[in-house]
Amino acid sequence: MKRVYIYKSFGRFWHWAQAFLIIFLILTGFEIHGSYTFFGFENAVHYHTNAAYAYIILIIFTIFWHFATGEWVQYVPTLTNLKKQAEYYLFGIFRNAPHPTRKTLLSKLNPLQRLVYLGLKIILIPLMVFSGLLYLLYRFPQGDKINSIKICCLSTLGYIHTIGAFLLIAFLIAHLYLITTGHTIFSNLNAMITGYEEIDDDKDEDVTIIDKEKAHEN
Amino acid sequence: MKKTIGLILIFLLPLLVGYLMLVKEANAPSKLQQLKESRLQKEKPGADHSHFSQLQVKFKRPQDVTLACISCHNERHTEVMNTVHWRWLRDEYMEGKGIVSLGKRNILNNFCVSISGSEGSCSRCHIGYGYDSKDFDFTKEENIDCLACHDNSGKYEKEVEAAGYPKKDLDLAYISQHIGLPKKENCGSCHFEGGGGNNTKHGDLETALLTSDRDVDVHMAANGGNMECIDCHEAKNHVIKGRLYSSSSTDKNRLYCEDCHTKVPHKDNIINEHTAKVACQTCHIPTYAKVNKTKTFWDWSKATKLKNGEPYHIDDEDGNHTYLSEKGEFKWERNLEPEYVWFNGTATHHLIEDTIKEIPLVLNPLGGNYKDLKAKIYPTKIMRTIKPYDPVQKKLVSFKLWDKEKGNNSLWKDFNWGKAIDSGMKYLNLPWSGQYDFVETQSYWLTNHMVAPKEKTVKCNECHTRSNGRLENIKDLYLPGRDFNPAIDRLGIALIILTFFGVTTHSAIRIYYSNKNKGQN
């Protein structure tokens, strides 16, 4: 076992800021949806709007970070070990079988994570951002100009935004559970807080092809 | 550590810049303050009329006052005679009906229904002298009543049931020397008292506005704007701005809050965006009839009951009649939440010759819906009245309400529906079957006054709420907080439950095996 610095500071900052913002957006969003009363409708709208702008700024920084540091490679989907990973969660985990994917600095994500996070990044979150922005700004700057949206699509935008919100909650539940499936129950959480994680360093076989190539380049 | 702080700063800086860009500067000079200051500068009074020899005479007839006015203010009478205040009639286009001449002269409302045959009493609110029948000469300028609107002495008063003539013992010379621009009292003498008594008709216009505080009406309150009606309802050539759609039909000469307050008066952009579809009045008039009650329901079918051959009345605790032999049964209410409708500035009107197709019969259907770019949601009083109609012809009827004497078939003196309707229809040369029944009708009275202080406006969650919101009856728009797609919500909740169930099951199995493994070890 080796203690490895696996999550860099911006990565961690981004993760936790995003986590906070998404949970806050869900809380305020479902109040706007009419599911309950907590902050009060007016406050919920203002909090939701401001949190959304903060999140968009965070996204812009994060996109830049992903490309500047090459982190985007982490999200390139791969079929290698995809089946193994699924089988691990369905069967292996109960028998205490080893993780089929080894976590390294160069490959932090297992193939299932890659797929789900990529979906999150290029489908779900953009869907939420754009449906939300259109809803928010359909009449901006003020002056009653964009009539087509106003007439045809506000409900559609609302529905899309709601669907996305439910998917995010489902993701959040699954995510919160799956982080307990590391070495120990808290090792993944610890890693995301401190940046360091204990990683096996005895074998090399499970490193994915991309990582091998990447390792080779370096 | 330094790196982290640096990164956080880098993140926070654009946030701050963005925030400053999005939120308007709080210290900007308040437009409302500027508006208030501009409105406080009252117009100086004009010439002192008490010096004019034309007015220092003993007027025998009120018409002589009018002629004295015209002798200096030449041609003003021609303006007046073109107004609805004088003509009680207006040619307007109506969707599906073309151009129709409509006004108080011939409209059937659902208060006292019609002036036809009862002009001598109704014309107390006509700006003229002697309008006692449909044959009144609307071209005779001496019959214009200048004083009804321009008296500033507070002493001028029209006589009851006297065809618009003033009381007999008035000092017309003194009154004519103390004239000026109309005050609230002038307008209010008719517009507060319409329908037979204070606040009966509109619900948002009543005598309490002469003395009320800001909580009742920010504009007219003495400790508020202390504004006169004509400060907003400006006049050009005696045509006064502002429309009432109980008899108007077209989107012309309307008065808007935006005229003074601009289209984007709020600091909050999200609130400003509401103005695309929501009229100012909708949020800023949370309740009407705040002081005195207004009439909301009238059942004519209960009229004509007598006690010992004599008409009688029943009053509520405020002294409002809840029953009158002459008029039937009423309901009076106070502090009412308006009802809400789409309105685009147009209305049609059910004319006496129109066939009744739907019950309740809406007398002045308002134009507009969500897709109509000109339409906004407006607050309104809805007057509900059960009134007589001809069940054979399926048409409304006019009836003679009032006469000075008994025996002339007026409902109020002779208490006979058949004869009153017969007399009313003959007066208009209209046929009727001889049978009558009663039909439920509704009319819209858009609520424009009694604007509340900003702290008391309608709150977001009074509309943005799942049930019992103020806009519950406006269904053709997507209202966040109220509307959702039930299928999406059901599927979404199912997804959450499934996910939760999935992770719970998975963890249960994990715990089970981990215990088993431990046992084996």
Side-chain angles (χ1 to χ4, degrees):
Chain A
M1 293 295 249
K2 191 173 70 175
R3 225 168 105 83
V4 181
Y5 185 58
I6 193 160
Y7 298 119
K8 285 176 240 165
S9 57
F10 182 83
R12 276 159 27 231
F13 164 73
W14 157 57
H15 172 269
W16 289 113
Q18 168 162 274
F20 167 76
L21 285 170
I22 286 182
I23 291 168
F24 189 65
L25 284 164
I26 288 172
L27 277 177
T28 50
F30 274 92
E31 174 155 14
I32 296 167
H33 188 59
S35 305
Y36 47 79
T37 306
F38 181 66
F39 297 109
F41 189 88
E42 189 172 6
N43 288 332
V45 168
H46 287 140
Y47 297 161
H48 195 78
T49 310
N50 287 326
Y53 285 130
Y55 188 34
I56 288 167
I57 292 166
L58 180 67
I59 288 173
I60 293 166
F61 273 78
T62 310
I63 289 173
F64 175 73
W65 177 78
H66 273 84
F67 287 103
T69 61
E71 280 289 314
W72 63 274
V73 177
Q74 302 278 353
Y75 301 92
V76 175
T78 168
L79 285 173
T80 321
N81 277 356
L82 187 64
K83 208 177 145 207
K84 270 191 187 173
Q85 188 66 38
E87 280 170 0
Y88 169 75
Y89 283 128
L90 287 173
F91 311 109
I93 189 167
F94 305 126
R95 295 195 304 263
N96 236 343
H99 271 269
T101 316
R102 238 192 64 185
K103 203 182 261 189
T104 69
L105 191 55
L106 298 169
S107 172
K108 296 183 257 200
L109 306 175
N110 72 46
L112 271 176
Q113 283 177 306
R114 280 174 185 256
L115 211 60
V116 172
Y117 293 171
L118 185 69
L120 209 59
K121 278 166 184 257
I122 65 167
I123 300 171
L124 189 51
I125 288 176
L127 191 77
M128 294 305 275
V129 168
F130 287 113
S131 58
L133 275 181
L134 280 173
Y135 201 106
L136 203 58
L137 302 179
Y138 73 93
R139 225 188 131 223
F140 193 87
Q142 279 138 2
D144 223 355
K145 289 288 183 275
I146 309 170
N147 294 322
S148 52
I149 291 179
K150 192 163 61 198
I151 281 178
C152 77
C153 316
L154 273 187
S155 58
T156 315
L157 286 174
Y159 297 156
I160 291 172
H161 210 66
T162 315
I163 293 171
F166 278 118
L167 289 173
L168 276 171
I169 295 178
F171 167 80
L172 199 65
I173 296 170
H175 182 67
L176 283 173
Y177 173 66
L178 285 171
I179 62 164
T180 67
T181 62
H183 260 295
T184 65
I185 287 182
F186 294 111
S187 62
N188 278 334
L189 181 64
N190 257 328
M192 194 43 91
I193 294 169
T194 61
Y196 288 94
E197 187 170 0
E198 308 254 308
I199 283 179
D200 297 328
D201 59 346
D202 43 358
K203 315 178 257 186
D204 242 355
E205 300 93 79
D206 293 331
V207 179
T208 58
I209 293 164
I210 290 172
D211 299 328
K212 272 185 184 166
E213 284 168 359
K214 186 94 183 175
H216 197 68
E217 282 165 25
N218 291 341
Chain B
M1 193 63 199
K2 260 188 182 170
K3 208 176 152 194
T4 318
I5 294 170
L7 278 167
I8 291 171
L9 278 180
I10 287 171
F11 172 68
L12 282 178
L13 196 70
L15 256 186
L16 188 71
V17 174
Y19 183 78
L20 287 178
M21 276 162 62
L22 288 166
V23 179
K24 273 187 193 168
E25 232 182 298
N27 301 336
S30 156
K31 278 182 189 163
L32 190 63
Q33 199 55 42
Q34 290 173 10
L35 183 63
K36 278 178 185 167
E37 276 160 23
S38 74
R39 285 286 159 175
L40 279 175
Q41 293 164 358
K42 300 278 176 196
E43 222 168 294
K44 282 181 194 153
D48 183 350
H49 282 64
S50 61
H51 295 309
F52 297 157
S53 59
Q54 291 95 329
L55 303 176
Q56 292 161 346
V57 288
K58 189 143 178 57
F59 292 109
K60 277 186 192 151
R61 309 177 307 151
Q63 282 94 333
D64 296 335
V65 181
T66 306
L67 291 171
C69 298
I70 293 171
S71 69
C72 292
H73 299 276
N74 51 22
E75 298 306 319
R76 286 309 216 185
H77 61 283
T78 57
E79 292 174 7
V80 173
M81 286 158 87
N82 277 322
T83 66
V84 189
H85 274 119
W86 170 258
R87 293 184 64 219
W88 280 16
L89 205 62
R90 177 158 54 198
D91 298 338
E92 281 205 329
Y93 175 80
M94 249 186 263
E95 194 69 40
K97 294 187 182 170
I99 291 170
V100 177
S101 251
L102 192 70
K104 281 190 178 299
R105 256 199 253 184
N106 57 358
I107 204 163
L108 296 181
N109 71 16
N110 59 359
F111 284 87
C112 287
V113 179
S114 162
I115 69 160
S116 299
S118 315
E119 289 90 345
S121 174
C122 304
S123 62
R124 191 184 175 199
C125 273
H126 182 244
I127 55 158
Y129 302 124
Y131 184 7
D132 58 359
S133 79
K134 60 182 175 179
D135 303 321
F136 177 69
D137 185 358
F138 284 94
T139 61
K140 211 169 174 185
E141 64 249 33
E142 67 166 26
N143 280 334
I144 297 172
D145 181 352
C146 305
L147 300 175
C149 304
H150 291 286
D151 164 46
N152 277 182
S153 72
K155 294 187 189 305
Y156 186 76
E157 203 180 334
K158 289 212 183 213
E159 184 58 272
V160 180
E161 300 178 353
Y165 281 104
K167 294 200 155 169
K168 283 267 156 56
D169 48 0
L170 297 178
D171 183 350
L172 291 174
Y174 178 84
I175 293 167
S176 70
Q177 290 164 20
H178 296 84
I179 49 81
L181 290 171
K183 292 184 174 301
K184 276 175 276 205
E185 288 84 349
N186 299 92
C187 308
S189 68
C190 285
H191 292 283
F192 293 165
E193 310 268 350
N198 184 37
N199 211 19
T200 306
K201 236 179 201 176
H202 297 264
D204 63 340
L205 285 176
E206 63 143 319
T207 48
L209 292 169
L210 299 172
T211 50
S212 63
D213 60 14
R214 289 188 79 241
D215 281 346
V216 175
D217 187 298
V218 288
H219 295 111
M220 286 183 257
N223 67 343
N226 197 17
M227 289 166 70
E228 298 294 345
C229 306
I230 59 164
D231 284 342
C232 295
H233 294 274
E234 290 169 341
K236 200 176 175 191
N237 301 333
H238 278 95
V239 175
I240 293 170
K241 211 173 175 185
R243 285 227 151 162
L244 185 68
Y245 285 83
S246 55
S247 61
S248 306
S249 310
T250 54
D251 187 9
K252 269 193 233 157
N253 198 34
R254 284 170 74 190
L255 181 59
Y256 300 94
C257 308
E258 290 93 325
D259 295 349
C260 293
H261 292 281
T262 77
K263 272 190 167 178
V264 283
H266 311 94
K267 279 186 183 144
D268 183 341
N269 277 333
I270 293 174
I271 308 274
N272 277 335
E273 276 169 17
H274 282 71
T275 60
K277 287 288 164 198
V278 182
C280 310
Q281 293 93 318
T282 299
C283 299
H284 289 275
I285 308 176
T287 53
Y288 65 98
K290 288 179 187 172
V291 185
N292 292 302
K293 288 181 177 175
T294 187
K295 196 179 276 185
T296 55
F297 173 77
W298 186 329
D299 186 354
W300 276 103
S301 72
K302 303 272 167 61
T304 70
K305 280 191 252 173
L306 301 174
K307 260 185 193 167
N308 307 323
E310 289 296 319
Y312 67 101
H313 59 86
I314 304 169
D315 293 354
D316 70 3
E317 70 280 4
D318 298 298
N320 295 310
H321 302 307
T322 54
Y323 182 78
L324 269 178
S325 299
E326 288 87 349
K327 295 181 176 181
E329 209 170 89
F330 314 120
K331 204 187 273 175
W332 295 83
E333 289 178 276
R334 179 184 282 131
N335 274 327
L336 284 161
E337 255 185 33
E339 299 181 58
Y340 298 92
V341 287
W342 285 110
F343 177 54
N344 63 6
T346 67
T348 53
H349 296 277
H350 188 91
L351 308 174
I352 194 163
E353 61 263 31
D354 292 342
T355 310
I356 299 169
K357 286 177 185 141
E358 267 180 298
I359 295 172
L361 168 68
V362 179
L363 296 178
N364 60 334
L366 304 175
N369 53 45
Y370 177 65
K371 294 198 171 185
D372 184 338
L373 293 179
K374 280 191 162 178
K376 294 185 183 189
I377 296 167
Y378 277 81
T380 185
K381 169 186 171 176
I382 298 182
M383 178 64 189
R384 295 176 167 87
T385 297
I386 294 167
K387 66 172 187 164
Y389 80 115
D390 180 337
V392 179
Q393 295 196 86
K394 291 199 163 49
K395 286 178 182 177
L396 290 176
V397 290
S398 180
F399 51 95
K400 185 174 170 65
L401 271 182
W402 171 86
D403 200 279
K404 265 204 161 114
E405 316 289 336
K406 266 191 183 182
N408 288 334
N409 295 330
S410 74
L411 189 76
W412 289 355
K413 293 266 157 61
D414 299 320
F415 300 100
N416 184 317
W417 270 116
K419 285 180 179 170
I421 296 170
D422 194 60
S423 168
M425 295 304 274
K426 275 188 183 141
Y427 186 81
L428 297 174
N429 298 319
L430 287 171
W432 78 297
S433 70
Q435 291 180 44
Y436 66 90
D437 201 347
F438 293 86
V439 62
E440 194 190 334
T441 63
Q442 293 183 356
S443 61
Y444 296 108
W445 297 80
L446 293 170
T447 316
N448 293 312
H449 306 92
M450 295 200 175
V451 173
K454 65 178 175 187
E455 305 78 35
K456 301 203 168 166
T457 49
V458 173
K459 298 286 171 290
C460 305
N461 61 0
E462 292 182 50
C463 300
H464 295 277
T465 179
R466 278 283 163 94
S467 54
N468 295 323
R470 284 179 182 255
L471 298 185
E472 210 172 14
N473 291 327
I474 298 206
K475 302 204 190 291
D476 56 348
L477 85 169
Y478 179 74
L479 183 60
R482 180 192 73 172
D483 295 333
F484 59 97
N485 184 314
I488 291 175
D489 269 39
R490 273 200 290 273
L491 282 173
I493 290 163
L495 176 71
I496 290 170
I497 292 170
L498 269 177
T499 315
F500 202 76
F501 181 74
V503 301
T504 323
T505 317
H506 198 271
S507 65
I509 302 173
R510 263 172 78 201
I511 292 163
Y512 171 75
Y513 274 102
S514 109
N515 287 340
K516 209 174 158 188
N517 290 343
K518 266 182 205 162
Q520 278 171 357
N521 294 341

